[in-house]
Amino acid sequence: MAKPQAEILKSPVPKEAPAKAPAALQVEVAPEQLAYANVLLYGAWLGIALLLLTNIIYLTGLVKPYIEPAMLPQYWGMKASEFVQVAHMPTGWSWLKMLGYSDFLNFFGMVLLASLTIIGYLILLPAYLSRKDVPYIFIVLTEVVVLVLAASGILAVGGH
Amino acid sequence: MLDWLATFTGGGLAAKATAAVTTTGAAVSTAAGTPGMPWWVWPLLLFITTFLLGIVAVLGGVGGSVLFVPIVGSFFPFNLDFVRGAGLLVALAGAVAAGPGLLKLNLANLRLALPVALIASTFSMVGAFIGLALPNNLVQTALGITIVLIALLFIVSKNTEFPQVGGSDKLARFLGIGGTYYERSSGKTVDWSVWRTPQGFLLFIAIGIMAGMFGLGAGWANVPVLNLLMGAPLKVAVGTSKFLLSITDTSAAWVYLNQGAVLPIIAVPSIVGIMLGSFVGVRLLATAKPRAIKYLVIVLLLASGLRSLLKGLGIWN
């Protein structure tokens, strides 16, 4: 019979622990989950700091840009596929060859943010392997394949 | 430092927030009709708009990108491709920033998140390709319809703090989905499990496609499915949904990055604006009136959804 989950509330262990004790002490969190959390914590702030720094470099003109910010209104109304063609923009990982231009420095922060999940999953994998947790080994490996495939730029789309 | 915002949140917050958003909207419209406008006005207006959206999103309990994509896509001169690319990065940045706290408190549960994330992220990649391949007016029309439906979902949806769960199904037991979290309000730990797992997983196919196609975070869809359908407690559903976005949006964000659909001049002010707005929003939560903010979010969604729909149909460009 269905029952509300509130009915299966359990007293915290130990009982004498103060009610306002840090929540982390009240529940058991798997070590790999904590490791994943730390990857996100440091990676997120590093990524955002990189975004800010590289954008300041771009906007202030400290390093020469590929497309001057003042020229962007000519392009930002175009469809992405048209923009890539007209402005001869690199696709996939070709931006790595353009790092001499300040606009492409911005990609570091974005790529870091988009890479955190892959790093996090690779941290989870050994824990599931050691427990022989077959369903989650399969899930983690498949997710890594999906994300690496998405990141690789191998898959492409035709533009209109 | 936040005195003016405290005043802002005093009486009639919804009216004042609406006025602020409307004023920014008027400035955007004026700028849009001025071809000689200096280029830097747009990133500046974008930053101000996203800062306000960040405040409203936190107070309204929604992800920033569900407001960002329709509003910026409808009222700014940027192509929808770049807006959706920025929207995914906005959702991604917000999710990876919130993820550590949620994981450490066990409010984001890996055993629930990982299978769901695999489905949603695979199909968000498919959705991203569909969105980039389709003509703009079609995507804009579909986005408008989706946003109006989301607004209606907000009106009718009533989440349950502790849903009724009639025992785990076979798939949930096989995957060992369930967990424990500390409920601060009662000072007790709560054990939870889920059911209707296959139905929930199927719905995440559609959620993933919509997230990738429209550049939306999709928290608006994750929470009802996890909470109302699968029976996860509301806090676990909200926490897992937020963490889930860091995975779902990653695969779609890669597609947009690789296809040249991310312009830093649009993405960076948006990410910074939404994040700063979110920090302020969190500080204002204590004095905000949730019902008024919920109505404000619904009004903003309806207005931007209808604008998007009319723009897509070529009625109001």
Side-chain angles (χ1 to χ4, degrees), chain A residues 2-6 8-10 12 19 23 26-29 33-34 36-38 40-41 44-45 48 51-52 55 58-59 69-70 72-73 75-80 83-84 91-93 103 106-107 110-111 113-115 117 121 124 128 133 135-136 139-140 142-143 146-147 150-153 155-158 160, chain B residues 39 42 77-79 81-82 89 92-93 96-97 99-100 103-106 108 110-111 114-115 117-118 121-122 125 129 131-134 136 162-166 174-175 177 180-182 184 187-193 231 233 243 246-247 250-251 254 257-265 268 271-272 275 279:
Chain A
K3 60 179 179 178
Q5 303 218 25
I8 49 176
L9 288 175
K10 290 199 310 194
Q26 307 287 335
V27 290
E28 197 178 323
V29 180
Q33 186 162 322
L34 287 176
Y36 193 165
N38 286 329
L40 291 186
L41 179 66
W45 290 112
I48 289 161
L51 275 180
L52 268 175
N55 208 241
Y58 176 46
L59 294 179
L72 281 172
Y75 297 108
W76 63 34
M78 293 178 180
K79 212 165 157 51
F83 167 63
V84 166
T91 53
W93 286 83
D103 14 3
N106 285 287
F107 280 66
M110 293 189 271
V111 164
L113 287 177
S115 301
T117 299
Y121 269 66
L124 292 179
Y128 292 130
D133 190 343
Y136 279 76
I139 288 170
V140 166
T142 313
E143 183 72 72
V146 168
L147 293 176
S152 69
L155 302 172
V157 64
H160 279 255
Chain B
W39 68 269
W42 290 110
F78 315 133
N79 190 285
D81 283 356
F82 300 121
L89 285 169
L92 179 60
V96 293
L103 285 170
K104 286 177 181 178
L105 291 173
N106 232 10
L110 285 180
R111 293 204 82 80
L114 297 194
L118 177 59
S121 64
T122 305
M125 189 167 63
F129 282 120
L132 286 169
L134 288 175
N136 258 0
F162 299 106
Q164 305 269 329
V165 170
F174 174 69
L175 294 170
I177 299 176
T180 305
Y181 78 97
Y182 176 65
R184 198 180 289 262
K188 293 178 178 176
T189 52
V190 179
D191 287 343
W192 59 271
S193 57
F243 168 69
S246 71
I247 308 165
T250 292
S251 53
W254 275 118
L257 274 167
N258 284 328
Q259 298 290 313
V262 175
L263 273 183
I265 200 87
V268 179
I271 292 170
V272 177
M275 293 202 87
F279 290 137

Side-chain angles (χ1 to χ4, degrees), chain B residues 10-259:
Chain B
L13 182 143
K16 287 169 186 171
T18 307
V21 173
T22 310
T23 308
T24 312
V28 169
S29 298
T30 308
T34 316
M37 184 67 63
W39 68 269
W40 50 264
V41 171
W42 290 110
L44 183 64
L45 281 173
L46 187 61
F47 175 76
I48 296 167
T49 305
T50 51
F51 176 75
L52 291 170
L53 290 182
I55 297 175
V56 172
V58 168
L59 297 180
V62 297
S65 58
V66 75
L67 292 171
F68 172 85
V69 174
I71 288 176
V72 176
S74 298
F75 296 103
F76 281 72
F78 315 133
N79 190 285
L80 199 55
D81 283 356
F82 300 121
V83 177
R84 286 178 287 137
L88 283 167
L89 285 169
V90 162
L92 179 60
V96 293
L102 296 168
L103 285 170
K104 286 177 181 178
L105 291 173
N106 232 10
L107 288 174
N109 184 275
L110 285 180
R111 293 204 82 80
L112 175 58
L114 297 194
V116 168
L118 177 59
I119 297 165
S121 64
T122 305
F123 284 93
S124 81
M125 189 167 63
V126 174
F129 282 120
I130 295 172
L132 286 169
L134 288 175
N136 258 0
N137 58 342
L138 197 61
V139 179
Q140 189 101 44
T141 306
L143 173 68
I145 294 167
T146 305
I147 295 294
V148 170
L149 290 176
I150 292 170
L152 296 176
L153 180 71
F154 280 178
I155 294 169
V156 299
S157 173
K158 287 178 175 57
N159 293 321
T160 311
E161 199 169 353
F162 299 106
Q164 305 269 329
V165 170
S168 286
D169 55 82
K170 275 184 189 170
L171 185 55
R173 283 200 301 276
F174 174 69
L175 294 170
I177 299 176
T180 305
Y181 78 97
Y182 176 65
E183 178 54 61
R184 198 180 289 262
S185 60
S186 61
K188 293 178 178 176
T189 52
V190 179
D191 287 343
W192 59 271
S193 57
V194 295
W195 65 338
R196 300 178 189 137
T197 312
Q199 298 96 312
F201 283 6
L202 278 176
L203 280 176
F204 274 99
I205 292 175
I207 292 173
I209 290 174
M210 280 194 286
M213 190 170 165
F214 299 129
L216 303 175
W220 51 272
N222 293 341
V223 175
V225 172
L226 293 173
N227 177 240
L228 295 178
L229 179 71
M230 295 175 69
L234 186 57
K235 282 189 180 177
V236 173
V238 171
T240 301
S241 162
K242 187 74 182 173
F243 168 69
L244 202 52
L245 300 186
S246 71
I247 308 165
T248 309
D249 292 345
T250 292
S251 53
W254 275 118
V255 173
Y256 280 80
L257 274 167
N258 284 328
Q259 298 290 313

Side-chain angles (χ1 to χ4, degrees), chain A residues 90-157:
Chain A
T91 53
W93 286 83
S94 310
W95 62 272
L96 283 170
K97 297 175 194 159
M98 310 281 278
L99 286 177
Y101 298 108
S102 59
D103 14 3
F104 294 99
L105 293 177
N106 285 287
F107 280 66
F108 275 124
M110 293 189 271
V111 164
L112 176 63
L113 287 177
S115 301
L116 291 176
T117 299
I118 300 174
I119 301 167
Y121 269 66
L122 292 176
I123 285 175
L124 292 179
L125 190 57
Y128 292 130
L129 281 170
S130 68
R131 275 184 230 140
K132 297 188 175 62
D133 190 343
V134 176
Y136 279 76
I137 292 170
F138 173 78
I139 288 170
V140 166
L141 284 175
T142 313
E143 183 72 72
V144 171
V145 169
V146 168
L147 293 176
V148 169
L149 192 64
S152 69
I154 294 169
L155 302 172
V157 64

